[in-house]
Amino acid sequence: MKTIILGPPGTGKTTTLLDLVDDFLSSGISPNKIGYFSFTRKAANEAIERAAERFQLDPKKELNYFRTLHSMAFRLLGANKDRMMQIQDYKDFGRLCGIPIKKAFYSLDDGVFDSDNEYLKIINNARVKKISVLEEYDKNVHNIDVERNTLVLIDQELTKFKKERGMKDFTDLIIDFVEKDLAPSLDVLFIDEAQDLSLIQWQMVKAMWKKAKKTYIAGDDDQAIFKWAGADISHFIALKNEVDNIKVLDQSHRIPGGPIHELSQRIISKISDRYEKEYKPREEEGILEYYTDLTQVDMSRGQWLVLSSANYFLEDVKDLCEIQGWYFSHRGKNSISLELLIAINNWEKWRKGGDLSYLEVKNIYQFLGPSVTPGYNSGKTLRSDERYTIDDCKNNHGLLNSDVWFDSFKKLSITEERYIRTMLAKGEKINQNPRISLSTIHAAKGGEADNVLILPDLSNAAVKSYDYDPDETHRLFYVGVTRAKKSLHIVEPRNTDKAYIL
């Protein structure tokens, strides 16, 4: 029996799957007869933690089949980490072929390949779609800048390079798994985040469901925004002709009623091929605001998620946050480094008579600059087994200044100092995680916030993609809009000819 579970935003798709896992474990099915596979390691780990805690299971011994698909292939193939392609291998390959490669890797979280080299990206996309590199080139010729003939040669050389070195990549693992028919026999098979699977991953899933008594495929085609990485959404939609049952989760616990829900439905109704589904928003009515300029947006209170289609559109938001003294994070980094934050807190503790460890003092010294006698900056006279007062360091370890932190931390720029002082004056809680997060919509998928700000600007590449495949852009901004729990804020684009109109 095969069942599709469609989970619109905030309807608890993963929770529904984990509840089913609980039911099957409670009915006596052995945990090693249940497979739970997800596109991301985060979702797989959530399933492992919940099952292990509730049923006192040993994840390493009893939950062998709770993992990502590429992790499953790696394990059953008995692959060796040292034989997997790493960034240095790609750099070596680039030097041999005379092409620049600075970045090339498969994400350990979801197995998606990324590189700063367009040839490598096209080659991998072709492989996960099971088509030739020339077919992939011809489908995307409007949006890429590579030499067609060179692409063919690089593809051939990469295959030769890996074979000579005995190396594999994540895509090789999935292909080998299918060809060697390594799927285990399971009583129940769960596939989460199915809308993000590539064609070769679908082949792996189908190889597994042939040996499973029951299969549950969960996802939401409306949130399929990884087509650029090879996700095959059309395959997921076509499954409706192969399954026994389709269940739609129809109550969102995130999306508020009123204008936000209505806007999301207007966006998604523009998609030409999709599962028709209706879901109810929360009873609380949301707030939708439009602005002609970014500076009109007041983010001085509450939790915020700022979204755009590309990272460079967020630069103006970063500038605004720094001017206003708002604490934020971008691309996994907080606007104040953890080391500086610790140094400021410890400095004030130190000035009030406290003592600090060797590592705490050494961390402070890196920000003092001329406030420390030359030669002492590295803390080389400090002992790792002792604690120090501020007077100890003034008398014996080169410390020259014990004024407030912004007069003593001479290595900080005027901009950094002003930003931190403004935040402190405005009561920003810099000892906690930043309350404002800046992200691309792709990176924020699965996230949510009380307040969401969307920049509808599109890059030149995204404009070309919209002209060629508008559904992909509709899905992208649908995902963005549906991150909001209470209020949604939209800023007028810089250029309406290069923007998604919301």
Side-chain angles (χ1 to χ4, degrees):
M1 185 188 79
K2 302 180 189 69
T3 300
I4 288 177
I5 297 177
L6 299 174
T11 54
K13 169 179 58 64
T14 300
T15 298
T16 299
L17 292 189
L18 295 178
D19 285 343
L20 285 169
V21 171
D22 289 351
D23 292 342
F24 286 116
L25 288 172
S26 298
S27 71
I29 292 180
S30 168
N32 277 324
K33 283 294 185 177
I34 299 176
Y36 190 106
F37 301 97
S38 177
F39 181 70
T40 63
R41 185 164 57 176
K42 177 183 177 183
N45 286 343
E46 182 182 350
I48 291 172
E49 290 168 7
R50 176 164 165 173
E53 181 178 354
R54 180 164 181 180
F55 294 94
Q56 288 78 53
L57 301 173
D58 184 339
K60 293 182 179 180
K61 295 180 180 179
E62 299 176 283
L63 297 175
N64 291 320
Y65 301 131
F66 282 56
R67 54 185 65 238
T68 59
L69 290 172
H70 56 272
S71 169
M72 175 72 166
F74 182 92
R75 180 177 178 274
L76 293 188
L77 285 163
N80 186 328
K81 288 183 179 179
D82 294 335
R83 298 287 87 197
M84 299 298 293
M85 288 285 287
Q86 304 292 334
I87 178 59
Q88 190 56 52
D89 300 299
Y90 285 108
K91 287 182 177 180
D92 291 346
F93 172 71
R95 281 192 292 270
L96 288 173
C97 293
I99 57 173
I101 299 174
K102 294 181 180 179
K103 179 180 77 171
F105 64 92
Y106 284 83
S107 167
L108 293 176
D109 179 55
D110 55 25
V112 170
F113 180 77
D114 193 18
S115 175
D116 61 343
N117 185 278
E118 285 295 323
Y119 289 103
L120 293 184
K121 289 199 287 189
I122 294 169
I123 289 168
N124 187 72
N125 280 353
R127 294 178 68 216
V128 300
K129 294 176 183 179
K130 300 286 286 186
I131 61 177
S132 72
V133 290
L134 292 183
E135 286 179 274
E136 178 66 9
Y137 174 91
D138 291 339
K139 286 183 177 181
N140 295 279
V141 67
H142 63 287
N143 203 28
I144 54 177
D145 184 23
V146 301
E147 292 291 334
R148 195 172 190 267
N149 293 336
T150 303
L151 174 64
V152 175
L153 296 176
I154 291 175
D155 180 35
Q156 294 171 349
E157 287 300 314
L158 180 58
T159 300
K160 180 181 176 183
F161 177 87
K162 289 193 296 180
K163 185 176 181 179
E164 289 176 347
R165 292 199 174 192
M167 306 296 287
K168 297 278 187 178
D169 58 35
F170 280 1
T171 304
D172 292 320
L173 295 181
I174 303 292
I175 293 172
D176 289 351
F177 180 96
V178 175
E179 290 181 349
K180 295 180 180 181
D181 192 22
L182 295 179
S185 295
L186 299 170
D187 287 347
V188 191
L189 171 66
F190 293 94
I191 305 294
D192 197 5
E193 302 173 307
Q195 74 280 345
D196 296 324
L197 302 182
S198 66
L199 179 58
I200 62 165
Q201 288 172 322
W202 276 116
Q203 290 182 335
M204 181 175 176
V205 167
K206 288 192 172 185
M208 288 194 291
W209 85 24
K210 287 179 181 178
K211 297 183 180 181
K213 295 177 181 178
K214 291 184 179 180
T215 299
Y216 294 87
I217 308 289
D220 182 10
D221 54 305
D222 294 337
Q223 298 183 72
I225 58 174
F226 289 99
K227 187 175 180 180
W228 60 273
D232 189 348
I233 184 57
S234 60
H235 201 93
F236 179 49
I237 295 172
L239 283 181
K240 59 189 173 186
N241 300 315
E242 299 183 46
V243 300
D244 304 292
N245 186 35
I246 297 176
K247 178 181 179 180
V248 178
L249 305 180
D250 61 1
Q251 177 62 62
S252 177
H253 306 289
R254 178 197 304 157
I255 313 301
I260 297 177
H261 180 249
E262 291 165 5
L263 174 60
S264 71
Q265 296 309 293
R266 285 199 300 272
I267 294 171
I268 211 63
S269 66
K270 298 175 183 178
I271 293 178
S272 56
D273 186 19
R274 60 185 289 264
Y275 283 102
E276 291 295 332
K277 61 186 85 70
E278 292 185 7
Y279 66 93
K280 297 183 289 290
R282 290 168 28 230
E283 289 186 6
E284 177 187 354
E285 184 154 317
I287 298 170
L288 177 60
E289 298 279 0
Y290 287 87
Y291 307 86
T292 57
D293 188 80
L294 180 63
T295 58
Q296 297 170 344
V297 185
D298 181 7
M299 292 189 286
S300 60
R301 291 181 179 83
Q303 298 291 322
W304 288 77
L305 179 59
V306 184
L307 299 174
S308 70
S309 62
N311 269 304
Y312 67 86
F313 291 127
L314 297 168
E315 291 301 316
D316 288 344
V317 185
K318 289 172 62 178
D319 292 342
L320 177 64
C321 288
E322 290 170 356
I323 291 170
Q324 293 291 344
W326 298 333
Y327 193 23
F328 69 93
S329 66
H330 179 228
R331 305 186 83 167
K333 292 184 178 180
N334 296 350
S335 53
I336 312 173
S337 72
L338 180 60
E339 292 82 5
L340 176 54
L341 178 60
I342 292 171
I344 292 173
N345 287 336
N346 282 335
W347 179 264
E348 294 309 307
K349 172 185 173 182
W350 218 19
R351 291 181 67 242
K352 293 175 182 177
D355 58 17
L356 301 178
S357 70
Y358 155 78
L359 289 177
E360 290 170 329
V361 176
K362 189 176 179 182
N363 181 54
I364 285 175
Y365 270 35
Q366 69 176 310
F367 299 105
L368 295 177
S371 293
V372 177
T373 302
Y376 289 87
N377 303 72
S378 64
K380 64 182 181 181
T381 61
L382 301 169
R383 291 172 55 90
S384 61
D385 57 349
E386 292 188 11
R387 297 185 68 83
Y388 299 90
T389 65
I390 201 165
D391 287 336
D392 290 335
C393 288
K394 288 178 71 174
N395 294 331
N396 304 304
H397 302 287
L399 182 62
L400 300 174
N401 192 331
S402 59
D403 294 333
V404 292
W405 68 269
F406 47 81
D407 286 332
S408 302
F409 285 35
K410 301 296 186 182
K411 291 196 76 172
L412 297 187
S413 68
I414 294 175
T415 302
E416 283 180 300
E417 177 197 320
R418 186 179 298 141
Y419 173 51
I420 297 170
R421 292 181 68 179
T422 302
M423 282 197 294
L424 294 173
K426 291 192 173 185
E428 284 283 343
K429 297 178 180 178
I430 61 176
N431 289 329
Q432 301 177 5
N433 289 330
R435 58 182 185 80
I436 300 174
S437 177
L438 280 51
S439 174
T440 62
I441 300 174
H442 284 103
K445 184 176 177 290
E448 60 183 23
D450 286 346
N451 312 290
V452 171
L453 169 63
I454 291 184
L455 309 179
D457 304 86
L458 296 174
S459 64
N460 290 333
V463 171
K464 291 179 181 178
S465 177
Y466 181 79
D467 293 338
Y468 178 74
D469 183 8
D471 283 356
E472 189 172 1
T473 310
H474 294 322
R475 290 190 180 101
L476 182 68
F477 281 91
Y478 173 75
V479 167
V481 165
T482 55
R483 300 310 93 194
K485 295 169 65 178
K486 293 183 178 179
S487 68
L488 178 65
H489 307 260
I490 299 170
V491 177
E492 188 175 298
R494 305 170 189 175
N495 183 345
T496 54
D497 292 332
K498 293 184 178 181
Y500 187 82
I501 306 303
L502 291 164

